[in-house]
Amino acid sequence: MAEFTPQEFYERLAGIRLRRKFLWSVFFSYIPVIWIALKIGGDGLAIGVGIFWLILASVGGVMVSFSLCPRCGNRFHMKGLSTSWGSQCVHCKLSLKERS
């Protein structure tokens, strides 16, 4: 477990929140983006956009799943092979809402 200054601690929590916002943005953008791609360019563009979306979702999922907790140093959302995208560390129960 690494020791962080309070500033670094909250920056790391903010980083986890930012990665989660990115992932949720990718998830919620799927239907509108595919619909626009179908309207503008047809099936070919929609397939390309869908593949790009899958890549973004995969990258976002990995970034969120492998985020490290600044308090305990374990993976914030993963315990073993299971992933929980809750707002607390699955190990030490640190909340993402923690403020300075």
Side-chain angles (χ1 to χ4, degrees), residues 13-86:
L13 272 182
I16 295 171
R17 285 191 294 266
L18 183 64
R19 287 187 283 275
R20 287 169 52 97
K21 285 178 187 176
F22 170 77
L23 183 60
W24 286 115
S25 297
V26 169
F27 281 152
F28 287 126
S29 71
Y30 179 72
I31 291 176
V33 169
I34 291 295
W35 182 79
I36 291 169
L38 281 169
K39 292 295 182 186
I40 292 173
D43 291 343
L45 181 61
I47 289 170
V49 168
I51 291 170
F52 182 69
W53 184 89
L54 282 172
I55 292 168
L56 281 179
S58 298
V59 168
V62 167
M63 287 173 29
V64 168
S65 295
F66 288 94
S67 298
L68 296 178
C69 177
R71 180 189 289 164
C72 67
N74 292 311
R75 291 185 192 113
F76 194 88
H77 295 93
M78 286 182 71
K79 196 171 202 174
L81 294 176
S82 65
T83 300
S84 167
W85 290 346

